[in-house]
Structures are given as C-alpha cells and as structure tokens.
Amino acid sequence: MKKILPIFSYILHPIFISMYATLFYLFCKNDAFTNQEKYYVLFQILIITILVPVLFFLLLRSTGHVKSVMIHETSQRRIPLILQCFLYILLVKRSIVIARYPELHFFFLGALFSTILALVCSLFKIKASLHMMAISGFTIFAIGLNIHLQMQNPYWAAFLILMTGIVASSRLEMEAHSPNELLIGTFIGIFPQLLFLYLWL
C-alpha cells in the first residue's frame, strides 16, 4: 500500500483536476453540446491548465526557481500560483463564459478564489496542500452538479470523497504535508466552491 499511495499524488495532481472536472461536466451535460464543441472546450482546458503551466514549470526549474513538480517549498509556490490566477481569469473571461457554461464557469471562478487564498497563505508562509485544495473543490462541484441536474447518482460523490481521502493519505505517506496543512488545503478548496454553489444550484 505504501508503494501504491504515492501514485495518486501524481494521477490526482492539481494540474489535472481542471481537465477531470471539465470531462465530468461534459459527461453530465452530454446532450447540451455537439462533439465538436466538446473537443474545442477540452482543447482549451488542455492548453490553458496543463500545457502552459507545464512549460512554465520547466522554465522555472531551468532557472532554479523550483526544484520539484510537487513544489514543496512555500516560497517557490508564489510565482506558479500567480500564473494560475491569470490563467483562471483568462478562462472565465474568454473561454468558459457564464452564458454558455454557467456551472463550469462558477467552478473555475471558485478555483480562482481558492488559488488566491493559497497565494495569500504562501505570503504568510503558511503551507496549504494544493492537492487537497484541488480534489476537495472538484468534489463539491461534482456534488453540486449532481443535485443541480437531478442525476440522483450518489456514486460519483462517494467515489470523489474516497479519492479525497486517498489523496490525503498519499500526501501524508510521502511526508509532503502535516495534517494541519491538509486541513487548510481542504478548507480553501471547499469554501469558495460552496459560496459560488448558491449562484447556480
């Protein structure tokens, strides 16, 4: 089990959560969009939330500003978090607009506020778990979408809650975070999503 748990830290890395959430959203609202539109949305999410951050990370690592993809040092998180804020702003202003994708728009808006909170924490040298922030925010979004679309399917929520627990165990096993840091990350992931939930639920 000790060898398996760390794998989840990579599979459920924060950089992939936006893509997972978008795939879940398009799956749940399958009939609302054409296949061409779905591919277009996924391509945008791939570029903005995965490829651009990866390229930026490689640049930061080559210049010595970050050492690991997990970014263990609090001070090294500030530049990537600032970039993430700008990318989320780009998404909600230009791509995932409220008129066409209201639920997903508010998910990314919540993710933006979570990222801002994580950035504020880093400025005060408080290390919050970005893994927990991302997976817990996605879990709240999935639960809200389940209720909003009246899917009456508890399995997705149960699965994501289980994954949240596994990610927490993984981070502890890797000695990447203390329990308090996991709790802080969970809180700043959940709180903005719950606030915005009332605007579209």
Side-chain angles (χ1 to χ4, degrees):
M1 195 65 179
K2 289 184 177 181
K3 292 182 179 179
I4 295 173
L5 278 175
I7 295 172
F8 289 92
S9 285
Y10 293 94
I11 295 173
L12 296 171
H13 191 281
I15 202 171
F16 299 127
I17 296 298
S18 293
M19 180 60 79
Y20 296 154
T22 304
L23 284 167
F24 180 75
Y25 173 76
L26 294 175
F27 171 77
C28 292
K29 298 193 73 173
N30 183 49
D31 297 333
F33 312 109
T34 63
N35 286 335
Q36 184 177 0
E37 185 174 5
K38 291 176 189 175
Y39 296 141
Y40 178 68
V41 169
L42 289 173
F43 182 71
Q44 289 182 86
I45 300 300
L46 175 67
I47 295 292
I48 296 173
T49 68
I50 298 179
L51 294 184
V52 171
V54 165
L55 292 173
F56 194 71
F57 164 76
L58 293 174
L59 175 64
L60 289 176
R61 191 172 67 175
S62 68
T63 56
H65 286 87
V66 297
K67 296 177 182 178
S68 166
V69 70
M70 294 300 177
I71 314 181
H72 299 296
E73 296 294 329
T74 307
S75 60
Q76 295 179 1
R77 294 174 166 215
R78 293 166 191 167
I79 296 175
L81 286 172
I82 291 170
L83 172 69
Q84 196 66 33
C85 287
F86 281 112
L87 292 175
Y88 281 141
I89 290 169
L90 178 64
L91 273 177
V92 298
K93 291 286 287 183
R94 298 293 181 185
S95 300
I96 311 301
V97 293
I98 191 170
R100 183 59 178 154
Y101 316 100
E103 303 90 350
L104 194 60
H105 175 87
F106 283 115
F107 166 74
F108 282 115
L109 206 54
L112 169 62
F113 276 78
S114 292
T115 306
I116 292 171
L117 288 173
L119 178 59
V120 171
C121 285
S122 72
L123 293 175
F124 287 96
K125 297 183 179 179
I126 299 171
K127 187 180 179 183
S129 172
L130 301 182
H131 279 76
M132 293 306 295
M133 179 187 82
I135 190 68
S136 60
F138 177 27
T139 301
I140 296 300
F141 172 66
I143 292 171
L145 200 60
N146 198 349
I147 297 169
H148 178 64
L149 299 177
Q150 299 180 338
M151 293 163 57
Q152 297 180 345
N153 184 346
Y155 299 111
W156 280 112
F159 174 74
L160 286 171
I161 290 170
L162 175 63
M163 288 298 102
T164 302
I166 290 174
V167 169
S169 301
S170 173
R171 303 310 286 155
L172 289 172
E173 179 62 34
M174 295 177 72
E175 299 182 352
H177 291 288
S178 67
N180 284 341
E181 291 166 355
L182 295 178
L183 286 173
I184 293 169
T186 303
F187 175 77
I188 65 176
I190 288 175
F191 183 65
Q193 293 295 336
L194 284 177
L195 285 180
F196 287 112
L197 205 61
Y198 290 102
L199 297 178
W200 61 268
L201 195 59

